[in-house]
Amino acid sequence: MEIIILSVISIIMIIAAILALYANKLVTAIISAGVVSLLASVIYLLLAAPDVAMTEAAIGSGLTTVVFLYALNKIRKSGEGDG
Amino acid sequence: MAKRILITITMAIFIYISLPFVTNFTPATELSQLSQKYVNDGPDEVGAPNLVTAVIVTYRGLDTLGEIAVLFIATAGIGFILSREKKISSSKRESSAILKTGTKVLVPLILMFGIYIFMNGHLTPGGGFQGGVIIASGLLISILANPHGKLNKFLIQLTESISGFGYVMIGLLGLFLAGGFLDNSIIPLGQFGRLFSAGAIPIIYSLIGLKVGSELVNILSYLKN
């Protein structure tokens, strides 16, 4: 049973990672990179590593996404990015 | 189009490099020698039920000091780059009523949860880094709810400096009073599994939590402007 859940989460992670690389909009890429981190933290939790899972969920999917979004906003404001 | 081809080639190279990890994978059936020593001696030497904390704060305490130094340098770099432009943008939208009302309920709870996590770092999963990040994300919601508000930078930098200084001082106290840098037995170990046990670990982790939290809030406040 556990192997099925892990496989499904891994496949969704790979799809989200590919989406992050090929997405046309940068916002989509940032959000799907956050999804990869969030699902990675679920996998860490299932594999009995709660400390790493907490770090990954808080930093990887929470704070990093926000920092990227702020940075994207700054680039857009300065008018050099193509968004 | 060239960008997409480059991405695909890079992905293929990465898959080729990491394929042996999947095909030649055999799960370890027993602990390595070093982990065996940590598992056997950790509870007696450190007195922390959460063995991960015991390793991070005491056995590999110097690594943690290095990580905090890296975070500090990253914050200083971001501040150096982003504090140059003093352009004040006045075109910020007001945040929605749902966010404003929700912030009032959620922020105290999130801050309390962060403090709980780093205070109980030696008992339950989590610790200074995780608690600090949770505190930073709590303050992030309040930044999002009040885009025009100003953070008290002096207070944030004071917290950061004092907690960093205290962390290194406790490490040096361990060097003089106990077995080595960041040794936690400068305070009696106490009863195994209680909140005030495991020597100096709760104090060290609280200082790490405050330092990480204030540094991340500092980064967010630089990015906000």
Side-chain angles (χ1 to χ4, degrees):
Chain A
M1 188 59 205
E2 201 190 355
I3 196 90
I4 301 171
I5 299 174
L6 284 180
S7 320
V8 171
I9 294 174
S10 315
I11 290 167
I12 301 173
M13 264 174 77
I14 292 172
I15 295 171
I18 292 173
L19 186 67
L21 286 173
Y22 287 106
N24 282 324
K25 279 188 168 180
L26 279 177
V27 178
T28 321
I30 291 169
I31 299 290
S32 40
V35 168
V36 174
S37 286
L38 195 64
L39 292 174
S41 76
V42 174
I43 286 185
Y44 291 143
L45 195 63
L46 289 175
L47 295 177
D51 293 80
V52 190
M54 283 169 85
T55 316
E56 182 74 39
I59 296 184
S61 68
L63 222 57
T64 311
T65 311
V66 171
V67 168
F68 275 144
L69 287 174
Y70 267 128
L72 181 65
N73 200 20
K74 267 189 150 4
I75 292 170
R76 271 191 189 152
K77 260 187 209 162
S78 59
E80 289 158 13
D82 51 1
Chain B
M1 197 61 206
K3 190 178 122 193
R4 302 221 149 173
I5 294 168
L6 275 179
I7 289 174
T8 314
I9 293 170
T10 317
M11 258 166 68
I13 292 172
F14 266 111
I15 289 170
Y16 179 72
I17 291 170
S18 54
L19 208 59
F21 291 115
V22 182
T23 51
N24 301 338
F25 176 71
T26 46
T29 47
E30 56 185 30
L31 294 171
S32 68
Q33 232 175 341
L34 188 65
S35 342
Q36 197 65 52
K37 189 196 175 304
Y38 286 150
V39 171
N40 287 337
D41 299 350
D44 295 330
E45 281 180 8
V46 183
N50 183 5
L51 208 63
V52 178
T53 301
V55 173
I56 290 177
V57 179
T58 57
Y59 292 119
R60 299 282 176 90
L62 213 56
D63 291 11
T64 311
L65 183 66
E67 282 172 30
I68 288 177
V70 166
L71 196 63
F72 173 70
I73 292 167
T75 316
I78 290 176
F80 180 68
I81 292 169
L82 290 183
S83 61
R84 281 189 180 171
E85 45 178 332
K86 288 285 172 197
K87 189 178 59 182
I88 297 163
S89 54
S90 55
S91 63
K92 273 176 185 155
R93 266 187 305 164
E94 277 293 309
S95 50
S96 70
I98 295 174
L99 186 60
K100 276 184 180 167
T101 318
T103 303
K104 283 176 194 156
V105 183
L106 281 176
V107 168
L109 291 175
I110 294 174
L111 292 185
M112 212 154 67
F113 185 56
I115 291 167
Y116 167 83
I117 281 180
F118 66 63
M119 289 286 289
N120 285 280
H122 57 303
L123 303 175
T124 53
F129 283 98
Q130 291 91 338
V133 177
I134 289 171
I135 288 178
S137 53
L139 284 172
L140 168 73
I141 301 183
S142 65
I143 289 174
L144 289 178
N146 309 303
H148 301 290
K150 269 202 175 289
L151 281 166
N152 190 342
K153 277 210 176 155
F154 176 72
L155 187 68
I156 294 169
Q157 280 161 0
L158 192 73
T159 316
E160 189 189 330
S161 317
I162 287 177
S163 50
F165 183 72
Y167 174 58
V168 176
M169 279 300 124
I170 285 179
L172 289 178
L173 271 183
L175 199 59
F176 290 122
L177 300 178
F181 188 70
L182 280 174
D183 196 321
N184 68 325
S185 53
I186 50 173
I187 299 172
L189 287 187
Q191 200 185 342
F192 185 78
R194 301 290 291 273
L195 179 60
F196 294 105
S197 68
I201 285 184
I203 302 171
I204 294 174
Y205 244 3
S206 304
L207 290 173
I208 292 177
L210 286 176
K211 179 145 179 71
V212 171
S214 51
E215 259 165 14
L216 293 174
V217 173
N218 217 352
I219 290 180
L220 290 174
S221 70
Y222 279 128
L223 283 169
K224 180 173 82 83
N225 297 328

